[in-house]
């Protein structure tokens, strides 16, 4: 075979050239090889094994690992994991991925590591885990659209993918990080114990694939699961089984060292900030606060002042209250199905929040309309009279619905059983946000509305400004102090969820924390004290500007507080590996 | 639904209400169908409905040496999924995560799809194949003309089929006149090769995986099969004899945890310990004199040698109690079928050959060889390390022959129909000698195939400088992003496992087939085709005319193996390999074998030395070149991190699932005691420093490592910045497993 140099400068594919070292060769074999490389027919010459095998060949290995019968009354299927057999190879994770055709990177099973012991007697134990198909599944209870079912015979907790709206609330309610969000599809998906395989007497993918037969499906008695949850024998360092009554049975013949800890125990990483939710929560709370203040303001202001202020105040509160509700649907993976969100009202605080805040914004719209019409007796005197008569009771209803809505929001987080989101924390924060921002908004709307009328501040308004400034300083200090109590946990000896949150807030999230407290102090304490407690009749424009800056700083501060509310959340989880 | 009145169905109201119902509650839509499973046929059971195969084919996995059979699910001959083969004696329907994810790395976005040539601006730019081949030939010929033929060398691999390795080795040495070539197998297997050659007369791991199941005592030395060879551990778990499992390892590895006995010896104290065990066995008369007399030589000298290795001495060196050492000897004595297994803890050592032979000696003196459940068994590393050992034409001449034996050269010259004078009369330099040769200017052109020197070579920063000093570096790889490829002057895009045909040989000597079931991206070509093109371009295409395909090459190599211990002349081509689900060597012409059979060597007690006896080989232990001192007070141990990581991660990092299964940041295991002394807290960034470099890692504080030792996984690029370039004098294998380091908090560490 002779090779022939083309002789001239070779051309790079990008058009540049290089010297004589890159001359071309003429190689007849090349095109043949490039063709053959794309040809896959060569495999056809090999005999195909098991062409006619209908029954699964693997069956002989897993026959003992799945039940022969379906569960009876008071029973269900559950995973059984023999910890003494799990060697940490993680084949179960990949098998589940491949045999269920999951997306790139999507996994429904994971393998963690517990380690402990002493120098002379070290111990480590790998732990495979997936959905525990709980007796009392928190995913199902929390789902706002009924996208979870628990099979009445097998007890398998299934997710109905087409029903899911992608709110991801189940990811928070499940203590075991089971539901996995698929951004591509906008829904969550999860392990269904390969229910159709079990129905055909085939083993789930993980059971088939464990080289050491560490995973099996067994029939469990629900009563036993409940009983065992009383004594917390589930698995060291795992979330308490009393939360959801998980049915997986982790068994071992070896006593575990008392100090067994997950490999990722000290690994704390901030989580997603969920901006649409941050904005929605803070602004709806502002709105609720402002509407509640609207019940008090008439007693603080002269009737003529109030009459002037009321429609404007209500409009501002309404805009803050309803727009973010619409924006919050952008948090959903499938916002086009947001209308399903009320379906789960029987068990889900998510649905209840949607219903309460929906009713609140509807009532608020009516209320704002009534106040507007009531103020325009020049246009339609009859309508105005009726509007004036009905607006106080509607106002009370708006305030009530708003208060209930904020409560539902707080309960939504409380229901996830995360200590950082406990009602004492979320309830305090949400209602206090309503108070701080409600007061700050009221001050701003008052001065703004009056500035529109005249350039002089009347004595009742000056008095009002000073009173409200003191109220604002007080509620702000209470809120900031309440928030700061989390840092007491930094001195805790034991590493736990709240200490992790405190570590995040003072570590990875320290910048947000500093900004948050600075903005709160500036907008809710320093500025009000400096600019609103010594008003002159002539400081009308100054009052508008000062109160607007206060409000802006406070809103920004509350937004940062809420970002950290999400980012510093340390979730309970099954023992993990180093990440 | 069947009892519905069809006439009422048509009303607008009914339609509307059903539409509303579906809007509100949709149980069976397109998203649900995404995850439907349906019977896959071919004995697979249910598979994802949208990935239902129209055909399946079995091939061996391309990661480690276990050699698992994988059933590739095909649609129009293209791989769409895979599952482990049930009817395959190696893995019995199981695979580790790497096997399950074997197709994912083929789809990586950083696949090399065109040849890349460094232009005058110093940038790697895509060029046409013709240009690339000309650059290859032109530069290497220029260097050879100026500095002699041996100034160009190659570094191969244990990751590609042996037909390709044989073509590479033959093309380089017989066609291009190179003298030196070695493979990355030097980094994992060289020690076992030399140990077996010297002890048995041939590089012959004697066992079959069935031995895992039939032993009543298994002794693992420097091996962590739970993580490194999970499917071999599967076979251990299937052992019905409730075996005693002894693990000798400084760390409390997963295997040590699962074992019945763990002896956490100090790093590199293995040789002394193993001699002490032999000492006790002899002292107590727990030896098989009949076997020793009939089938071995050199026992008496060995007995005299180990008489100095008292349990007390070994206890002092290894940090174990004499009771533990005596106990180990007793367990071996009481076992009826004792098997010994070693991996990199032995191989990657400054005296690995002698340590491996100390294990072999234990098996020989107790007669634990050639029977089910016995053997001194080296567990290999890479999928085709064993193929490389026999057919890469580097250290040994094709078919396990020797370059320095005239009859061997003549035989191979005849088989290949080439001039005998083309065959070098001595073996190549080893990997480290080639690197050293580059430093000394003896080697100026290097061709690296399917390995990642710039990551994996010991004392890495030095290695990168060495490669940078080359006049011309060619890297032939699946990826254009490996640490070595980005240093190259020319990158040749190679097809990967699954995109080409050829055979691997696994740890138990089983030949298994890989097939072309995926299209290589762009203009990537199989290594075989690249070698053929280079032969044509070089002008020696005629020499390889008969090597027209991997299977034709296989037939040539069968001929090379004739009348050797690894004789495979009895295999009737790829079809038979496929039909028999892999075949172990030897299978000489005329011999018969069962389908799916499992065979071991030396059942007749005849070894491969001319006297058919095995040799007791031993030596004085030598000190480790670098031990902890006051400045660098800790031992650094290295090894595999998890079963989802493979070597330098060029492939395993390309699967998103595998990425989820191992720590993303480099980490260092530190004992709680050392961590407390150094003020290191869990998960903190620390600096690990040796005399050669510094590595940033997260602290994982765990009792798995003992005080005075730290562990880092080899997969992270930084680890080999620290390792000490020490080598076994017999095998030239680098000693990755032990060097001295210190460790400090990142926030307190002085900047470099």
């Amino acid at each position: 075979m002779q090779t022939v140099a083309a002789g001239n400068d070779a051309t790079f594919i990008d058009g540049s050239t290089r010297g004589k070292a890159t001359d071309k060769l003429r190689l007849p074999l090349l095109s043949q090889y490039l063709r053959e490389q794309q040809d896959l027919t060569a495999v056809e010459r090999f005999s195909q094994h098991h062409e006619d095998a209908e029954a699964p060949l693997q069956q002989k290995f897993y026959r003992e690992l799945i039940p022969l019968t379906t569960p009876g009354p008071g029973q269900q299927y559950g995973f059984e994991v023999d910890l003494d057999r799990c060697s940490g190879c993680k084949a179960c994770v990949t098998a589940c991925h491949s045999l269920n055709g999951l997306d790139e990177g999507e996994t429904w099973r994971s393998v963690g590591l517990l380690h402990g012991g002493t120098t002379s007697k070290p111990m480590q134990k790998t732990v495979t885990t997936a959905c525990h198909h709980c007796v009392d599944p928190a995913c199902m209870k929390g789902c706002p659209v009924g996208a979870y079912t628990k099979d009445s015979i097998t007890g398998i907790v299934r997710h109905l993918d087409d029903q899911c709206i992608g709110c991801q609330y189940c990811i928070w309610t499940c203590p075991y990080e089971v539901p996995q969000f698929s951004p591509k599809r906008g829904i969550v998906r999860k392990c269904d114990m390969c229910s159709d395989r079990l129905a055909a007497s085939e083993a789930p993918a993980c059971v088939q694939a464990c080289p050491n037969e560490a995973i099996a499906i067994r029939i469990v008695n629900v009563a036993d699961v409940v009983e065992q949850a009383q004594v917390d024998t589930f698995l060291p360092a795992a979330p308490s089984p009393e939360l959801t009554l998980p049915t997986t049975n982790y068994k071992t013949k070896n006593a575990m060292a008392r100090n067994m800890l997950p490999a990722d125990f000290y690994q704390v990483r901030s989580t997603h900030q969920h901006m649409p939710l941050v904005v929605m929560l803070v602004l709806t709370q502002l709105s609720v606060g402002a509407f509640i203040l609207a019940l008090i303001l008439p007693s603080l202001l002269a009737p003529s002042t109030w009459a002037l202020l009321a429609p404007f105040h209500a409009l501002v509160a309404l805009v803050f209250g309803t727009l973010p509700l619409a924006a919050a649907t952008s948090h959903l993976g499938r916002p086009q199905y947001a209308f399903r969100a009320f379906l789960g009202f029987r068990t889900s605080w998510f649905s209840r929040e949607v219903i309460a805040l929906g009713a609140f914004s509807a009532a608020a719209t009516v209320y704002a309309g009534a106040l507007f019409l009531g103020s325009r007796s020049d246009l339609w005197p009859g309508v105005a009279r009726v509007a004036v008569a009905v607006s106080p009771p509607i106002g009370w209803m708006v305030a009530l619905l708003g208060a209930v809505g904020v409560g539902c929001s707080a309960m939504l987080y409380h229901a996830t059983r995360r200590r950082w989101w406990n009602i004492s924390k979320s309830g305090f924060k949400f209602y206090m946000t309503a108070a701080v921002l409600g007061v700050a908004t009221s001050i701003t709307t008052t001065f703004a509305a009056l500035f529109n009328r005249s350039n002089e501040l009347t004595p009742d308004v000056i008095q009002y400004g000073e009173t409200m400034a003191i109220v604002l300083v007080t509620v702000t200090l209470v809120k900031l102090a309440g928030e700061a109590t989390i840092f007491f946990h930094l001195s805790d000896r034991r590493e736990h969820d709240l200490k992790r949150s405190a570590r995040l807030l003072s570590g990875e999230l320290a910048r947000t924390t500093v900004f948050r407290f600075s903005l709160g102090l500036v907008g809710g304490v320093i500025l009000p004290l400096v600019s609103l407690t010594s008003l002159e009749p002539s400081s009308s424009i100054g009052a508008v500007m000062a109160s607007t800056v206060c409000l802006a700083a406070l809103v920004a501060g509350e937004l940062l507080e809420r970002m950290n509310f999400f980012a510093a959340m340390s979730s309970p989880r099954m023992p993990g590996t180093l990440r | 639904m069947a009892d519905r009145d069809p006439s009422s169905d048509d009303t607008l109201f009914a339609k509307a209400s059903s539409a509303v119902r579906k809007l509100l509650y949709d149980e069976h839509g397109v998203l649900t169908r995404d995850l439907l499973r349906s019977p896959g046929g071919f004995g697979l059971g249910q598979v994802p409905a949208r990935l239902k195969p129209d055909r399946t084919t079995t091939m061996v996995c391309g990661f480690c040496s276990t050699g698992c059979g994988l059933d590739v699910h095909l649609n129009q001959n293209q791989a769409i999924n895979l599952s482990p083969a049930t009817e395959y004696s190696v893995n019995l329907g199981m695979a580790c995560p790497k096997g399950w994810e074997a197709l994912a790395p083929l789809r990586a976005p950083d696949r090399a799809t065109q040849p890349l040539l460094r232009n005058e601006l110093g940038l790697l730019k895509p060029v046409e194949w013709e240009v690339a081949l000309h650059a290859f030939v032109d530069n290497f010929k220029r260097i050879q003309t100026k500095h002699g033929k041996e100034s160009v060398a190659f570094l191969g691999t244990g990751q590609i089929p042996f037909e390709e390795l044989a073509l590479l080795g033959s093309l380089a040495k017989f066609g291009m006149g190179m003298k030196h070539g070695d493979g990355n197998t030097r980094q994992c297997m060289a020690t076992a090769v030399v140990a077996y050659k010297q002890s048995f007369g041939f590089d012959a791991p004697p066992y079959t995986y069935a031995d895992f199941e039939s032993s009543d005592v298994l002794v693992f030395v420097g091996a962590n099969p739970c993580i490194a060879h999970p499917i071999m551990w599967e076979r251990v778990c299937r052992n019905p004899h409730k075996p005693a499992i002894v693990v000798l390892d400084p760390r409390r590895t997963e295997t040590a945890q699962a074992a019945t006995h763990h002896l956490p010896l100090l790093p590199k104290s293995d040789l002394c310990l193993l001699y002490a065990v032999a000492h006790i066995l002899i002292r107590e008369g727990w030896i098989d004199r009949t076997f020793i007399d009939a089938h071995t030589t050199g026992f008496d000298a060995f007995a005299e040698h180990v008489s100095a290795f008292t349990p007390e001495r070994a206890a002092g060196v290894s940090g174990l109690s004499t009771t533990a050492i005596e106990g180990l000897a007793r367990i071996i004595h009481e076992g009826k079928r004792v098997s010994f297994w070693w991996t990199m803890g032995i191989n990657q050592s400054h005296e690995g050959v002698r340590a491996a032979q100390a294990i072999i000696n234990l098996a020989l003196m107790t007669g634990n060889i050639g029977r089910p459940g016995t053997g001194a068994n080296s567990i290999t590393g890479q999928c085709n390390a064993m193929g490389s050992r026999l057919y890469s034409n580097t250290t040994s001449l094709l078919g396990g022959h020797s370059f320095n034996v005239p009859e061997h050269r003549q035989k191979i010259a005849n088989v290949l129909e080439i001039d005998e004078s083309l065959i070098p009369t001595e073996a190549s330099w080893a990997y480290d000698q080639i690197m050293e040769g580059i430093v000394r200017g003896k080697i100026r052109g290097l061709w690296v195939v399917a390995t990642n020197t710039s990551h994996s070579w010991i004392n890495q920063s030095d290695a990168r400088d060495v490669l940078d000093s080359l006049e011309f570096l060619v890297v032939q790889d699946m990826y254009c992003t490996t640490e070595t490829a980005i240093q190259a002057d020319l990158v040749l895009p190679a097809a990967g496992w699954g995109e080409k045909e050829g055979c691997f040989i696994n740890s138990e000597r089983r030949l298994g087939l890989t097939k072309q079931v995926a299209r290589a991206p762009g203009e990537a070509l199989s290594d075989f085709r690249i070698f053929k093109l280079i032969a044509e371009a070089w002008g020696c295409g005629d020499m390889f005319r008969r090597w027209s395909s991997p299977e034709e090459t296989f037939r040539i190599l069968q001929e090379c193996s004739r009348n050797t211990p690894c004789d495979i002349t009895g295999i009737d081509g790829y079809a038979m390999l496929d039909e028999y689900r892999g075949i172990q060597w030897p299978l000489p012409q005329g011999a018969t074998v069962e389908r799916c059979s499992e065979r071991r060597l030396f059942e007749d007690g005849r070894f491969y030395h001319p006297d058919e006896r095995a040799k007791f080989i031993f030596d004085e232990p030598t000190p480790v070149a670098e031990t902890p001192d006051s400045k660098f007070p800790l031992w650094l141990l290295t090894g595999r991190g998890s079963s989802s990581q493979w070597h330098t991660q060029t492939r395993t990092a390309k699967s998103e699932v595998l990425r989820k299964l191992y720590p993303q940041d480099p980490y260092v295991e530190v004992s709680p005691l050392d961590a407390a002394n150094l003020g290191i807290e869990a998960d903190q960034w620390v600096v690990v420093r040796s005399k050669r470099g510094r590595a940033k890692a997260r602290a994982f504080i765990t009792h798995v490592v003992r005080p005075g030792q730290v562990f880092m996984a080899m997969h992270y690029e930084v680890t080999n910045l620290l390792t000490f370039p020490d080598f076994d004098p017999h095998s030239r294998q680098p000693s990755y497993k032990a060097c001295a380091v210190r460790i400090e908090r990142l926030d307190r560490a002085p900047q470099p």
Side-chain angles (χ1 to χ4, degrees), chain A residues 277-551:
Chain A
L277 297 182
V278 167
V279 173
M280 188 278 275
L281 286 172
V282 169
L283 296 189
T284 53
Q285 284 151 23
L286 177 153
S287 172
V288 170
F291 277 114
I292 291 174
L293 262 288
L295 301 176
I296 304 166
L297 291 182
S299 61
L300 294 176
L301 291 163
S304 61
T305 313
W306 169 242
L308 188 76
L309 167 65
F312 176 62
H313 180 80
L315 180 68
V316 169
L318 179 67
V319 168
F320 275 118
T322 43
L323 288 187
L325 277 183
T329 57
S330 73
H331 170 73
L332 301 178
R334 300 206 300 162
Q336 69 271 32
Y337 294 102
F339 59 84
R340 290 176 182 165
F342 69 93
L343 289 170
F345 67 93
R346 281 196 194 85
T347 56
S348 170
W349 284 102
F350 191 111
S351 293
R352 291 168 192 167
E353 185 203 40
V354 166
I355 293 168
L357 288 179
F360 159 74
S361 64
T365 310
V366 173
Y367 180 52
L371 287 177
F372 174 76
L373 291 173
S375 71
R376 301 305 299 265
S377 52
D378 51 328
L379 289 180
W380 305 291
V383 177
R385 264 196 307 280
V386 177
V388 167
V390 297
S391 54
I394 300 178
W396 278 100
M397 208 166 86
V398 171
L400 184 69
L401 285 171
V404 170
V406 172
C408 288
S409 294
M411 280 306 294
L412 183 155
Y413 295 95
H414 173 78
T416 63
R417 318 289 266 267
R418 281 140 210 242
R419 292 175 68 197
W420 173 238
W421 287 353
N422 182 278
I423 190 70
S424 65
K425 294 198 162 46
S426 60
F428 171 80
K429 281 183 183 155
F430 292 4
Y431 280 113
M432 287 307 288
T433 298
V436 171
L437 297 185
V439 172
T441 306
S442 301
I443 299 173
T444 311
T445 52
T446 308
F447 287 128
L450 297 179
F451 178 70
N452 204 24
R453 184 188 59 175
S454 80
N455 291 330
E456 289 277 295
L457 294 177
T458 53
D460 72 313
V461 174
I462 289 175
Q463 173 63 42
Y464 162 85
E466 287 173 1
T467 311
M468 291 294 274
I470 299 302
V471 173
L472 180 61
V473 169
T474 312
V475 290
T476 304
L477 284 175
V478 169
K479 171 134 207 276
L480 293 178
E483 284 175 34
T485 54
I486 184 70
F487 296 110
F488 287 129
H489 292 292
L490 282 176
S491 60
D492 292 354
R493 281 222 169 76
R494 198 169 68 79
E495 179 88 0
H496 58 89
D497 290 353
L498 289 180
K499 184 176 179 185
R500 291 197 183 104
S501 297
R503 276 176 55 198
L504 280 169
L505 290 169
S506 59
E508 193 187 323
L509 302 168
R511 271 176 55 158
T512 324
T513 308
V514 169
F515 276 118
R516 184 275 164 282
F517 280 98
S518 309
L519 285 167
L521 284 172
V522 168
V525 181
I526 298 169
L527 255 182
L529 285 178
V530 170
S531 61
L532 298 178
T533 51
S534 50
L535 291 168
E536 303 284 330
S538 63
S539 49
S540 174
I541 176 116
V544 174
M545 283 170 57
S547 58
T548 308
V549 172
C550 285
L551 178 61

Side-chain angles (χ1 to χ4, degrees), chain A residues 1 3 5 10 12-14 16-18 20-25 27 29-30 33-34 36-51 53 55-58 60-61 87-91 93-95 97-102 104-105 107-108 115-119 122-124 146 149 160-163 180 185 187 189 192 194-197 200 202 208-212 263 266-269 334 337 339-340 342-343 578-579, chain B residues 22-27 29-32 34-35 37 42-43 45-46 48 50 55-57 77-78 81 86-87 92-95 97 100-101 107 114 117-120 125-131 133-135 138 226 230 233-234 237-238 252-254 257 495 499 501 513 515-516 518-520 522-526 529 532-533 536-537 542 551 574 578-579 581 595 643 656-657 660-661 663-664 667 682-683 698 700-704 706-707:
Chain A
M1 169 73 199
T3 58
F12 283 85
I13 284 167
D14 69 347
S16 67
T17 56
R18 192 182 143 109
K20 62 183 171 57
T22 57
D23 296 344
K24 272 196 188 183
L25 292 165
L27 291 164
L29 267 180
L30 177 60
Y33 281 173
L34 285 170
E36 285 174 6
Q37 193 66 56
Q38 300 301 315
D39 177 16
L40 301 179
T41 51
V43 71
E44 288 172 9
R45 74 184 196 276
F46 297 109
S47 60
Q48 174 151 254
H49 298 277
H50 318 299
E51 199 161 2
L57 298 168
Q58 197 79 351
K60 61 182 174 189
F61 294 125
S87 63
C89 77
K90 306 179 187 179
V93 181
T94 45
H97 173 82
S98 295
L99 291 182
N100 290 324
L102 305 189
E104 278 288 283
T107 49
W108 287 354
H115 68 120
T118 60
T119 300
M123 195 164 193
Q124 61 167 316
T149 60
L160 308 176
D161 294 349
D162 283 288
Q163 180 61 10
Q180 300 285 309
R185 299 184 163 74
I187 58 166
R189 310 205 291 186
D192 69 338
C194 294
S195 50
D196 25 9
R197 288 202 169 92
E202 290 182 27
Q208 290 191 28
C210 177
N212 307 332
Y266 293 101
Q267 289 195 312
V268 184
R269 309 276 186 271
R334 300 206 300 162
Y337 294 102
F339 59 84
R340 290 176 182 165
F342 69 93
L343 289 170
L578 282 186
R579 281 175 292 171
Chain B
K22 194 163 171 66
L23 264 182
L24 278 180
Y25 198 72
D26 187 359
E27 231 178 319
V30 61
L31 292 169
T32 308
D34 252 359
L35 288 175
R37 307 170 184 99
F42 310 104
Q46 292 186 7
R50 57 188 174 78
R55 189 186 174 87
T56 62
T57 196
N77 292 339
Q78 179 146 12
N81 204 351
T86 309
E87 301 292 332
L92 309 174
M94 305 297 165
W100 278 101
E101 280 295 290
R107 301 187 290 258
Q114 287 171 321
L117 182 61
R118 204 169 285 283
N119 66 14
E120 66 273 17
K125 289 287 178 185
V127 293
E128 292 169 33
W129 264 110
E130 291 90 339
V131 177
L133 291 168
H134 192 271
D138 200 59
C226 280
W233 187 252
E234 169 198 354
C237 288
R238 281 170 199 260
R252 183 76 167 184
T253 60
E254 291 79 356
Q257 178 69 45
E499 296 167 346
E501 274 182 6
L513 202 52
K515 301 170 186 173
Q516 189 167 330
R519 294 190 175 88
E523 295 192 344
L525 289 172
S526 70
R529 293 182 176 111
K532 285 281 287 179
L533 287 174
E536 299 292 342
D542 282 338
E551 187 161 11
Y574 283 180
D578 190 53
E579 182 56 35
R581 317 297 268 169
R595 197 169 168 271
S643 61
E656 239 184 281
V657 171
K660 281 174 98 170
L661 300 182
Q664 294 311 299
Y667 63 94
D683 199 35
R698 280 189 187 277
F700 178 37
I701 300 174
T702 170
H703 287 297
V704 164
R706 296 176 72 78

